[in-house]
């Protein structure tokens, strides 16, 4: 399967890049750059929304002015609150405010907020417009773009959700200055994996260019396969193991950190299956390491646990013969590979070093 190379329309307006997600009747723009949140009043005006509910964990002082009467609903960021109970809480707050389909919801926060608020917006009154203002690197590069909304169940991540495209996404890079090193590290995980799904090597580019490249790649993929029927699977590069690591560590490893380790593993697995050569396997390791991300598995988690969790993850996709499914690099680029024998998966897991929870400067355990 050929991979796209950021073919979405993009253009500069001042310091703010505009990238179109070209969907037939519900396309929208992603605006990336310093101060992008100040575009909110014009986005709200263009939508014709009379009032908005802003859902956020940020203090009021950090919230963008929507330019219309607004009610703020307090959110909790983080995987543990990405639940159906939180969706119900938001919807009940919408009812109390009297939100109608002529109004809009604005999600200001990280990926767990945009995922959960997006699902609430999709369900409330069978769908109200939502504008995403992602404030973390991870949400700007990936989570807020493409219309996937979901919450977790105790049994696994993102198991209940729907597609609900936002009306616009405002990626204000000024927000990133306030992020913790762990938050930045997690975002770099989604940037690192872009090298293997069509964006090329983004090392050395300014951060806003890395974000724009990741968004342009995603926009091009989503425009061709909104509903994950084929091509969109490539965006899950590194995610099958990544989700298992998040669950195995009770989310102590952040999403992007776990995806980074999953990306190194995907390279090794592709090598073990003869799909890529040693140089390409090494490139996975080098690119992930370049961003200071973990190239190891969490110590104290056995391969059996990871395999079981991968089977349960919808990205691991159980197959009748008991084999697993991964997105893997190969001669034609990344593609979904079915029927990967469990024995090969276990060998590749066993060959990975183990190490501590990621922090800036963390290193794998000595062999
Ligand atoms: N984050 C993967 C996707 O949006 O398809």
């Amino acid at each position: 399967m050929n991979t796209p190379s950021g073919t979405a329309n993009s253009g500069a307006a001042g310091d703010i890049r505009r990238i179109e997600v070209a969907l037939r009747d519900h396309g929208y723009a992603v605006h990336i750059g310093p101060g992008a949140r100040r575009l909110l009043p014009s986005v709200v005006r263009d939508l014709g929304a009379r009032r908005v509910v802003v859902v956020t964990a940020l203090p009021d002082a950090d919230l963008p002015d929507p330019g219309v009467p607004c009610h703020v609903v307090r959110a909790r960021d983080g995987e543990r609150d990405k639940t159906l109970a939180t969706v119900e809480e938001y919807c009940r707050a919408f009812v109390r405010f009297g939100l109608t389909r002529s109004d809009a919801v604005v999600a200001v926060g990280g990926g767990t907020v945009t995922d959960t608020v997006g699902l609430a917006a999709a369900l409330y009154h069978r769908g109200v417009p939502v504008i995403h203002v992602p404030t973390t690197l991870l949400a700007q590069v990936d989570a807020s773009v493409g219309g996937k909304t979901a919450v977790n169940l105790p049994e696994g991540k993102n198991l209940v959700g729907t597609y609900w495209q936002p009306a616009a996404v405002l990626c204000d890079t000024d927000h990133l200055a306030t992020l913790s090193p762990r938050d930045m590290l997690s975002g770099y995980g989604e940037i690192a994996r872009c090298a293997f799904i069509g964006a090329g090597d983004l090392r050395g580019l300014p951060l806003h260019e890395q974000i724009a490249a990741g968004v342009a790649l995603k926009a091009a993929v989503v425009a061709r396969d909104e509903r994950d029927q084929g091509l969109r699977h490539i965006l899950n590069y590194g995610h099958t193991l990544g989700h298992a690591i998040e669950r195995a560590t009770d989310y102590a490893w952040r999403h992007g950190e776990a995806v980074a380790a999953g990306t190194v593993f995907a390279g090794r697995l592709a090598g073990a299956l003869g799909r890529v050569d040693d140089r390409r396997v090494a490139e996975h390791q080098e690119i992930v390491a370049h961003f200071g991300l973990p190239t190891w598995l969490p110590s104290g988690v056995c391969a059996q646990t990871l395999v079981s969790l991968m089977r349960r993850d919808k990205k691991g996709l159980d197959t009748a013969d008991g084999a697993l499914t991964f997105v893997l690099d190969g001669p034609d680029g990344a593609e979904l590979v079915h029927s990967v024998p469990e024995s090969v998966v276990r060998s590749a897991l066993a060959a990975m070093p183990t190490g501590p929870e990621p922090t800036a400067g963390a290193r794998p355990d000595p062999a």
Side-chain angles (χ1 to χ4, degrees), residues 307-329:
V307 170
S308 301
L309 288 167
M310 285 194 278
R311 284 197 188 293
R312 211 180 288 162
D313 192 90
K314 66 187 187 315
K315 296 182 181 11
L317 303 174
D318 279 359
T319 54
D321 59 3
L324 288 144
T325 297
F326 291 87
V327 182
L328 295 177
D329 200 4

Side-chain angles (χ1 to χ4, degrees), residues 142 145 148 193 218 228 232 235-236 239:
D142 183 59
V145 178
K148 279 190 181 174
R193 67 90 162 89
K218 183 159 190 180
D228 231 345
R232 188 166 176 165
L235 298 175
N236 296 330
H239 282 60

Side-chain angles (χ1 to χ4, degrees), residues 162-175:
T162 189
Y163 295 89
W164 189 246
Q165 297 293 344
V169 181
L170 306 178
C171 299
D172 190 331
T173 49
D174 287 342
H175 280 300

Side-chain angles (χ1 to χ4, degrees), residues 234-250:
I234 67 169
L235 298 175
N236 296 330
Y237 203 77
H239 282 60
T240 307
L241 179 59
H243 281 177
I245 291 173
E246 283 183 271
R247 296 262 296 118
T249 61
D250 197 19

Side-chain angles (χ1 to χ4, degrees), residues 16-328:
I16 299 188
R17 290 278 303 276
R18 178 188 168 106
I19 295 172
E20 300 293 334
V21 182
L23 297 166
R24 197 175 320 202
D25 54 1
H26 48 288
Y28 53 95
V30 182
H31 305 267
I32 303 162
R37 66 181 181 272
R38 288 196 283 275
L39 296 173
L40 185 59
S42 65
V43 169
V44 169
R45 194 172 52 243
D46 291 351
L47 264 179
R50 299 166 310 140
R51 305 185 309 158
V52 300
V53 171
V54 175
V55 188
T56 188
L58 294 189
D60 287 355
D62 293 348
L63 298 181
D65 174 11
V68 294
C70 152
H71 174 65
V72 177
V73 171
R74 287 282 140 209
R76 289 175 302 277
D77 225 332
E79 290 290 342
R80 286 189 185 81
D81 285 302
K82 216 174 107 167
T83 62
L84 282 167
T86 304
V87 170
E88 179 178 350
E89 198 182 298
Y90 295 159
C91 289
R92 292 183 67 186
F94 299 166
V95 177
R96 290 194 294 275
F97 178 64
L99 191 78
T100 73
R101 294 178 73 183
S102 310
D103 305 321
V105 173
V106 181
V108 184
T112 56
V113 169
T114 58
D115 274 11
T116 313
V117 176
L119 182 56
L123 297 176
Y124 182 76
H125 288 196
R126 300 193 183 86
V128 292
V130 63
I131 300 159
H132 290 318
V133 185
T135 58
T136 64
L137 182 55
L138 186 128
Q140 294 191 358
V141 174
D142 183 59
S144 65
V145 178
K148 279 190 181 174
T149 72
V151 292
N152 304 331
L153 295 178
E155 288 76 11
K157 264 190 67 115
N158 295 337
L159 292 182
V160 179
T162 189
Y163 295 89
W164 189 246
Q165 297 293 344
V169 181
L170 306 178
C171 299
D172 190 331
T173 49
D174 287 342
H175 280 300
L176 306 181
T178 63
L179 294 186
S180 70
R182 275 306 277 284
D183 279 327
M184 288 302 287
L185 201 57
S186 186
Y188 279 123
E190 294 286 9
I191 290 175
R193 67 90 162 89
C194 288
F196 306 103
I197 56 176
D201 190 347
L202 303 179
R203 284 177 289 183
L205 290 180
L207 181 56
H208 66 277
E209 293 291 346
Q210 293 176 335
I211 298 169
V215 169
L217 170 69
K218 183 159 190 180
V221 169
V222 170
R224 285 168 59 185
D225 178 23
E226 182 185 2
R227 296 279 170 139
D228 231 345
Q229 300 298 302
L231 179 66
R232 188 166 176 165
H233 294 314
I234 67 169
L235 298 175
N236 296 330
Y237 203 77
H239 282 60
T240 307
L241 179 59
H243 281 177
I245 291 173
E246 283 183 271
R247 296 262 296 118
T249 61
D250 197 19
Y251 300 107
W253 281 46
R254 310 281 294 277
H255 178 69
E257 296 164 347
V259 166
T263 296
V264 173
F265 173 74
R268 285 168 173 252
L269 192 56
L273 294 168
R275 296 177 53 83
V276 296
D277 60 19
D278 290 349
R279 190 200 53 77
R280 186 68 165 166
V281 175
E283 207 179 342
H284 284 71
Q285 173 95 16
E286 285 157 19
I287 288 182
V288 168
H290 167 86
F291 288 102
L293 288 154
T295 53
W296 58 88
L297 300 178
S299 40
V301 175
C302 68
Q304 178 56 48
T305 301
L306 293 172
V307 170
S308 301
L309 288 167
M310 285 194 278
R311 284 197 188 293
R312 211 180 288 162
D313 192 90
K314 66 187 187 315
K315 296 182 181 11
L317 303 174
D318 279 359
T319 54
D321 59 3
L324 288 144
T325 297
F326 291 87
V327 182
L328 295 177

